[in-house]
Amino acid sequence: MGNRIIVTGASGLVGTNLCKRLLDEGHEVYGFARTDRNQISGVKYFVFDLLDKNKTYSYIQGIQPEYIYHCAAQPAEARGQSAPIDMVERNINIMLHVLVPAINIK
């Protein structure tokens, strides 16, 4: 078996294609997504919001991945037009919620 890998944004265009590629290469793939759309057979999905720091930390610590591909982001068209600072802050918080537990993997 390959590596344990988490892909955030696993239901998006980039994340979905990355999950397919990683599965084809024989890896154990865990997908973090806000929605249950575009799910691929063989990926173990966790559907939640990465802004939930406690869930993000708990899931990453439980999986103990060798790699994390961080493809999740709030797209600019969703909020960026009306509240660009809010959009940037949310994306920074999402990144930190993934980075901090990744650093602490034993």
Side-chain angles (χ1 to χ4, degrees):
M1 171 76 56
N3 296 304
R4 273 184 320 279
I5 300 174
I6 292 174
V7 177
T8 69
S11 64
L13 178 64
V14 173
T16 300
N17 286 300
L18 179 57
C19 286
K20 288 177 188 174
R21 173 76 182 263
L22 294 169
L23 283 173
D24 288 346
E25 292 177 358
H27 299 290
E28 185 178 346
V29 181
Y30 296 84
F32 288 6
R34 273 187 306 167
T35 69
D36 60 1
R37 66 183 168 90
N38 299 329
Q39 290 194 358
I40 299 164
S41 178
V43 176
K44 298 168 186 81
Y45 285 94
F46 293 77
V47 179
F48 70 105
D49 193 333
L50 288 168
L51 285 170
D52 185 331
K53 181 170 68 173
N54 294 329
K55 278 187 182 176
T56 306
Y57 189 92
S58 175
Y59 292 155
I60 291 173
Q61 287 296 308
I63 294 166
Q64 295 283 301
E66 280 90 18
Y67 299 98
I68 298 175
Y69 290 93
H70 183 45
C71 303
Q74 178 160 356
E77 59 272 1
R79 282 196 123 125
Q81 303 293 330
S82 61
I85 292 173
D86 181 52
M87 181 205 59
V88 169
E89 286 176 347
R90 290 171 65 87
N91 282 322
I92 289 170
N93 283 328
I94 287 169
M95 182 196 57
L96 290 172
H97 292 171
V98 172
L99 182 62
V100 170
I103 291 169
N104 293 314
I105 291 175
K106 304 289 183 229

